[in-house]
Amino acid sequence: MNAAMNTVRRGLGNGVVQAFLVVVGLVWMTPLAGLFLSSLRSAEDTAKGGWWTVFTSPGQLSFDNYSALLGNAGISQAFWNTVLISVPTTVLVVVLAALAGYAFAWLDFPGREAIFLVVVALLVVPVQIGLLPVAKLFGQLGLFGTIPGVVLFHVAYGLPFAVFLLRNYFAEMPKEMLEAARMDGGSEWRIFTRLVLPVGRPAIASLAIFQFLWVWNDMLVALLFADSASQPLTVALQSQIRQFGSNIDVLAPGAFVSLVVPVVVFFAFQRHFVQGVMAGSVK
Amino acid sequence: MTATLVKEASPTPTAGAGRTRARRTRRRGRLVALLFVFPALLLLGALVVYPVLFSVGRSFFDASGTRFVGGENYAEMFRDPATLKAIRNTTIWVVVAPALLTGLGLILAVLVEKVRWATAFKLLLFMPMAVSFLAAGIIFRLAYDADPDKGVLNAAAVSLHDAFQGTSTYPTARARDGQGLTEAADGSYRTSTSVSPGQAVTLGLVGVLPDDLPESAEPAYPAAAREAAPGELRGVVYLDFTPGGGGEQGKVDRRESGLPEMKVEAVRAGKAVASTTTAADGSFRFEGLDDGSYAVRLPASNFAAPYEGISWLGPTLVTPAIIGAYLWIWTGFAMVLIGAGLAALPRDALEAARMDGANEWQIFRRITVPLLAPVLTVVFVTLVINVMKVFDLVYIIAPGPVQEDATVLATQMWLVSFGGGNNQGLGSALGVLLLLLVIPAMVFNVRRFRRSQR
């Protein structure tokens, strides 16, 4: 009897929990759904009423905004700039951090521990403090306002976390494995490419995805270091914010395009991404 | 670190030739190692370490960078109202957001374990982490729009408000002067002459917008022609306007519409003794009134300006509103991290407590939370660091005129250095302040790392 009561109570409690979580889930989806539906409506419709009116008059929906966006040279250029910034940054961060991570984990050189502690300390340095000095430096080097400049800045500020993550992962490798490879007379380079990189694949994948999304989504760095020819999508859209409301037919589909790539990457590689973010906590 | 130094200082002496070869291999090994770390260290040195030192130095110079001013920029930071505002807002962010997020993440992590679709739920909540602050900013600019016909939050606020307070049906309606209705100071109308049970009244209004007239409205003429029964006070409220012209002012003409859903009160000696709502043809009736003289009143709520919702992005609410957007992005992070900690909890401790008859709340309070403390700390510290540096969301969501009410350290640093302020001395000082604020986290990281290496 009592047990039955408990089951009923637990069932009821579970029902409440389910209902609560469903509501939370809906609340979480609403903003994104709102953006997507807004991106399919004309500016005139948006001026007249909210995106939820499409449920009563679905005739408003069309892909016109998206085809207009395709024809918008500035936005298409910005999209490619985003790719040209995020892909090289990701590759460079992974390569440089893997090299350094291996050296910090398994090679002997003077000051190894001390330098690595500095890298750990650099994990939390805010990018803001680098903006001004690096802008001056890039100005002298002719990198200011160029894609390579944006990439270099991102690489530098991505490195502490990347080196930290990979060094720790590589350090877990069994010592015997490396010693056996060295006994066989493999050069360090060979060991690195043939042994360390394959073993480190899970960590490298997490890092690459995390880094890619981070740079893809960045606005602050590009806002300063990119000029109008090299600006990524975030900056191009940002410059339209001032007329918010009147140009929602550009902003909403633009924002949606900018978030489709990371969201697809997220769903395709969710496990790696979650691991990357988790490893990156306290960054 | 000491260990390496000792090792290097005392090479094990072996036979001469072997020693030289060993030394040569070691030197070669070091060279290779330096080649491996050099590119990363070069970039870190040139673009991270050097800028930190440069900024610290620069923060002691004036705007143009020519005059040494000592701590003047740091003093200015606490004098200038704009930077003070930024410091205040960043404090609000740091006090509110990480605590809310950790709490919310903890609750959701515990609850989601109880349902079968936990993975789907976690994915859904985590997804905003992949969305850029810019896109999230645009999403929430849209959601927070002040116009309830555009912003979903105000649409919800208005429908909630109207569900409880009722809508005002005819915000623009008014009575013509000298047609039997007098306006009171509060915006209500009452009959100019007193009426008593057994009488019928016609109350004409004008100025009703076509959109405000319900589709169910019917002509008032038949109802207006009806006589009042004894003891009954009845009447019609009608739109004293004939579409297409014609009709007589102050009289219910054949084609004139009744005004449905109008609140009507019977007032005696200044007190409402009965109230009702008009029917589709605008008619109303009060029954069972005591004899005597009454006034019929149309309360002000009929004519109140419609509720416009909340000014989310106004000066007072803008920071909480942006924190709300931040919650949307980061709750999934807190939940997933805490969930991972939860999965690692010793099952037997929880089972034992259940066997002892502890209820879910007691288990949560006494066992789950204390055991999770290390994870909660990591989540909290991570969030504090990130919250201090929040930039994009504030920059995007706060509309131009409200920017200065929403400003935080990172946006202020931007404005002062690049966005027209052009004071790189003060800008550097703000950057250094940001760095100083994260130094505890830096120490925490280094300590945690050194401990893990022992």
Side-chain angles (χ1 to χ4, degrees), chain B residues 105-407:
Chain B
L106 176 61
I107 292 168
L108 290 174
V110 170
L111 290 184
V112 82
E113 291 307 320
K114 300 189 190 303
V115 297
R116 241 175 268 146
W117 33 277
T119 314
F121 185 81
K122 284 182 186 171
L123 267 183
L124 174 65
L125 257 74
F126 201 83
M127 190 187 51
M129 280 294 284
V131 172
S132 66
F133 284 120
L134 170 99
I138 291 177
I139 288 174
F140 277 89
R141 256 311 260 284
L142 206 60
Y144 283 131
D145 200 298
D147 182 347
D149 281 335
K150 290 184 192 161
V152 68
L153 274 148
N154 264 348
V158 167
S159 39
L160 261 180
H161 174 274
D162 290 349
F164 286 105
Q165 308 271 323
T167 42
S168 75
T169 354
Y170 303 103
T172 53
R174 63 198 156 77
R176 287 201 184 95
D177 282 339
Q179 301 282 356
L181 280 172
T182 320
E183 185 175 7
D186 65 352
S188 66
Y189 284 97
R190 58 192 295 164
T191 44
S192 312
T193 51
S194 61
V195 290
S196 38
Q199 280 187 301
V201 290
T202 58
L203 308 173
L205 294 173
V206 290
V208 175
L209 297 176
D211 277 353
D212 286 342
L213 191 63
E215 277 174 29
S216 60
E218 289 170 17
Y221 187 76
R226 225 167 287 152
E227 295 276 317
E232 177 193 67
L233 177 56
R234 64 170 298 137
V236 287
V237 186
Y238 70 104
L239 179 57
D240 190 10
F241 170 77
T242 304
E248 195 179 322
Q249 279 187 16
K251 194 165 165 285
V252 187
D253 295 298
R254 278 194 181 273
R255 285 169 50 222
E256 287 177 349
S257 174
L259 293 175
E261 289 162 47
M262 180 79 83
K263 279 177 224 64
V264 189
E265 291 172 343
V267 181
R268 186 169 193 187
K271 255 180 64 185
V273 291
S275 80
T276 182
T277 308
T278 56
D281 57 2
S283 67
F284 64 90
R285 48 192 278 208
F286 296 105
E287 280 177 306
L289 292 178
D290 294 335
D291 278 341
S293 65
Y294 292 84
V296 175
R297 178 164 73 181
L298 304 174
S301 63
N302 290 316
F303 313 108
Y307 177 65
E308 293 285 1
I310 301 157
S311 174
W312 298 104
L313 299 181
T316 39
L317 282 182
V318 65
T319 295
I322 302 173
I323 292 179
Y326 195 82
L327 294 187
W328 182 73
I329 299 174
W330 282 85
T331 299
F333 166 82
M335 179 186 69
V336 168
L337 228 71
I338 295 170
L342 214 52
L345 285 191
R347 290 278 139 196
D348 18 329
L350 301 177
E351 279 313 309
R354 262 195 203 109
M355 295 294 270
D356 291 347
N359 63 32
E360 293 291 327
W361 171 244
Q362 286 169 324
I363 294 175
F364 179 76
R365 265 305 313 273
R366 300 280 164 79
I367 300 175
T368 312
V369 172
L371 284 178
L372 273 181
V375 178
L376 296 178
T377 313
V378 168
V379 171
F380 187 81
V381 171
T382 308
L383 289 168
V384 168
I385 298 169
N386 280 291
V387 159
M388 279 182 204
K389 299 190 270 191
V390 65
F391 172 82
D392 312 37
L393 268 192
V394 179
Y395 197 72
I396 298 294
I397 296 184
V402 200
Q403 235 354 288
E404 56 193 70
D405 295 289
T407 186

Side-chain angles (χ1 to χ4, degrees), chain A residues 117 120 123-124 161 164 168 278-283, chain B residues 337 374-375 377-379 381-382 385 440-454:
Chain A
L117 278 185
V120 175
L123 277 175
V124 291
F161 167 64
F164 177 73
N168 288 350
M278 277 166 62
S281 54
V282 196
K283 182 188 170 180
Chain B
L337 228 71
V375 178
T377 313
V378 168
V379 171
V381 171
T382 308
I385 298 169
M442 206 181 259
V443 173
F444 175 86
N445 275 345
V446 171
R447 278 216 186 129
R448 201 167 63 145
F449 174 74
R450 295 189 74 163
R451 212 177 300 132
S452 73
Q453 294 303 298
R454 257 176 225 140

